[in-house]
Amino acid sequence: VLALYWRRFNRHGALAAMLAGFAVHLASYSIGYAVFREFRPLKIGGFDPFIPQLLISLLVGVLVCRQTQPPSEEIVQRYFKATQ
């Protein structure tokens, strides 16, 4: 969704965000299995794993986009064609 509204978002940020979200989700179920001895997630602060996954994914995506080169102006204009 961030790619729809932020012109600075790029493919590196999207891939990093997806991988980070998957890692948090996998970790919550892996730790939950180790703690409870059954297949259920560890709920951090009582939240479903989706909430920390979403927040970490957002944070990683923004940080990676800020550290990598922005998309070319041609790509930005293709998807964010500004009518003036």
Side-chain angles (χ1 to χ4, degrees):
V1 173
L2 191 57
L4 296 174
Y5 299 105
W6 189 30
R7 292 173 180 244
R8 180 78 167 79
F9 201 71
N10 58 28
R11 63 181 175 197
H12 304 291
L15 183 60
M18 285 187 285
L19 290 175
F22 174 73
V24 170
H25 197 77
L26 182 64
S28 70
Y29 274 92
S30 299
I31 294 169
Y33 184 77
V35 170
F36 305 120
R37 298 287 182 220
E38 62 182 56
F39 189 71
R40 69 176 185 174
L42 178 67
K43 294 185 177 184
I44 302 169
F47 291 108
D48 189 81
F50 177 73
I51 302 301
Q53 170 191 346
L54 187 64
L55 296 175
I56 296 296
S57 178
L58 175 67
L59 180 67
V60 168
V62 169
L63 290 176
V64 169
C65 284
R66 301 293 286 167
Q67 297 299 318
T68 57
Q69 190 172 8
S72 68
E73 189 60 34
E74 176 186 339
I75 298 283
V76 171
Q77 287 304 315
R78 184 183 311 162
Y79 295 107
F80 292 95
K81 192 178 285 184
T83 56
Q84 297 176 5

